Amino acid sequence: MPAVTADTLTLPRLPKLPDATTGWRRVAKVVTAQKHLEGEGFQVRRPFPGVDLPLADPFLLLDHMGAVEYAPGEAKGTPWHPHRGFETVTYIIDGAFQHRDTTGGGGRIADGGTQWMTAASGIQHIEQPPPELVAKGGLFHGVQLWVNLPRAQKWVDPRYQDIRAGDVTLLSSADGASLVRVIAGSVGGFDGPGVTYTPINYVHATVAPGARLELPWPRDFTALVYVLSGRGTVGAEQVALDEGRLAVLGGSHHAGDQDGIVVQAADTQPVSSKNGWEILILGGLPLREPVARYGPFVMNTKDEIVQAFEDFQAGRMGQVPAAELPHRSATDQAL
């Protein structure tokens, strides 16, 4: 699992949080990701939706793709399809993916890179493995997160951010044992490169075997911990969490001067996690707005969903290049 690696002893360190004055977030719920087939037939593990949406707000969906070793000809992607009302954030840990959209955005995402597509008022895109991965096979591992947009931003113009592996903010735990990658948001005063409409934190951490990682956390943010590989515990009460499981964190037992998230990796890890426990730590400011969702559209009302389908069918979400037209989108096939 290369993603982005570094010598943790040379990186800026997160602060050591004082136990007496820190309100440690407690685990409210643990969810096991369910398996689904997406796109042209690739498997994902999806921990949410499934939990109550208010617990994940402002996030809508998390798909964990892999880790999988594809044989030649096995790698698959998605056909052209539309989105409106939210953002898709695709983070590739191992291997590569290609993206194109109807605004001309896109490119190759590989080994620690992130594509941040703000669908907003409407866009179509296609996500495919690169030709060499299809032809030769190889390791692939990534995640896609859907971030809801506030009502006022659902109608802004689409945009695209290419966050390369070298752009990610790298930090070390207070003891220098664990690597923290900040893709978006702010942790301990260190900002990630992702530009967001909705205030969120998006963190990928590799927690060394047996090590403890503490993160200061905004009191008004939700908090989620998802395991990419390996095993460990979450919260001061040390709730066990292994690969494919999500911990939803609630409030703390007592109100300290600041909130914090604490996790600890198990002393021994499976071979797939020889470098440590691999976790995503996510959270954001809840929107607390009505959610109407159907397939690739997430709006505030049912009427806006109907309008989204009408706009898509009328070609108001961009035009697929002519050479691609015979490959109809999944949504179009369903209509």
Side-chain angles (χ1 to χ4, degrees), residues 258-334:
Q258 63 181 332
D259 273 13
I261 294 174
V262 58
V263 298
Q264 184 164 349
D267 292 336
T268 59
Q269 296 289 334
V271 174
S272 61
S273 297
K274 61 183 179 181
N275 294 324
W277 187 36
E278 302 284 352
I279 57 174
L280 295 181
I281 305 171
L282 310 168
L285 187 66
L287 298 180
R288 297 190 176 93
E289 294 179 351
V291 174
R293 60 188 299 167
Y294 190 88
F297 307 129
V298 182
M299 303 301 290
N300 296 112
T301 69
K302 181 179 177 181
D303 286 346
E304 289 172 335
I305 294 293
V306 173
Q307 181 184 350
F309 274 101
E310 291 175 349
D311 288 346
F312 168 62
Q313 291 175 318
R316 291 190 283 269
M317 293 188 186
Q319 295 296 318
V320 174
E324 301 288 346
L325 286 177
H327 198 159
R328 300 170 65 212
S329 78
T331 298
D332 197 27
Q333 293 170 11

Side-chain angles (χ1 to χ4, degrees), residues 29-333:
K29 191 170 188 176
V30 173
V31 176
T32 299
Q34 300 299 306
K35 294 181 180 179
H36 298 265
L37 289 178
E38 283 297 311
E40 296 170 333
F42 63 91
Q43 183 173 277
V44 302
R45 285 179 285 182
R46 182 175 297 163
F48 65 87
V51 298
D52 295 335
L53 272 180
L55 297 176
D57 193 5
F59 305 124
L60 298 163
L61 172 146
L62 180 66
D63 275 353
H64 181 193
M65 304 173 286
V68 57
E69 187 76 37
Y70 283 124
E74 281 189 343
K76 296 178 175 66
T78 70
W80 283 96
H81 60 283
H83 288 301
R84 172 178 279 180
F86 62 99
E87 302 179 288
T88 66
V89 184
T90 307
Y91 173 46
I92 301 302
I93 300 165
D94 285 300
F97 225 38
Q98 295 180 155
H99 160 83
R100 284 184 292 156
D101 64 45
T102 46
T103 69
R108 180 185 174 94
I109 329 158
D111 296 340
T114 301
Q115 67 157 27
W116 200 299
M117 188 187 78
T118 303
S121 59
I123 198 171
Q124 294 187 63
H125 76 150
I126 185 170
E127 299 163 297
Q128 295 285 324
E132 63 271 20
L133 181 60
V134 176
K136 299 179 181 178
L139 181 62
F140 180 77
H141 192 195
V143 289
Q144 185 172 97
L145 177 70
W146 288 13
V147 185
N148 202 3
L149 287 169
R151 187 192 303 266
Q153 273 75 54
K154 286 186 181 293
W155 299 99
V156 301
D157 291 336
R159 72 181 184 190
Y160 176 82
Q161 298 176 68
D162 179 16
I163 302 173
R164 298 175 183 266
D167 299 332
V168 174
T169 300
L170 302 181
L171 307 172
S172 171
S173 54
D175 62 3
S178 302
L179 176 62
V180 176
R181 308 163 187 85
V182 184
I183 296 169
S186 182
V187 179
F190 298 95
D191 297 336
V195 178
T196 72
Y197 284 107
T198 305
I200 69 168
N201 284 345
Y202 190 151
V203 175
H204 172 199
T206 304
V207 187
R212 173 183 169 107
L213 171 63
E214 301 172 354
L215 298 178
W217 206 252
R219 182 158 290 171
D220 53 357
F221 274 26
T222 52
L224 309 167
V225 178
Y226 178 76
V227 181
L228 297 167
S229 69
R231 51 179 174 256
T233 63
V234 179
E237 66 273 48
Q238 296 187 313
V239 174
L241 207 66
D242 56 11
E243 182 174 334
R245 306 195 82 199
L246 173 84
V248 181
L249 279 65
S252 62
H253 248 345
H254 69 281
D257 294 340
Q258 63 181 332
D259 273 13
I261 294 174
V262 58
V263 298
Q264 184 164 349
D267 292 336
T268 59
Q269 296 289 334
V271 174
S272 61
S273 297
K274 61 183 179 181
N275 294 324
W277 187 36
E278 302 284 352
I279 57 174
L280 295 181
I281 305 171
L282 310 168
L285 187 66
L287 298 180
R288 297 190 176 93
E289 294 179 351
V291 174
R293 60 188 299 167
Y294 190 88
F297 307 129
V298 182
M299 303 301 290
N300 296 112
T301 69
K302 181 179 177 181
D303 286 346
E304 289 172 335
I305 294 293
V306 173
Q307 181 184 350
F309 274 101
E310 291 175 349
D311 288 346
F312 168 62
Q313 291 175 318
R316 291 190 283 269
M317 293 188 186
Q319 295 296 318
V320 174
E324 301 288 346
L325 286 177
H327 198 159
R328 300 170 65 212
S329 78
T331 298
D332 197 27
Q333 293 170 11

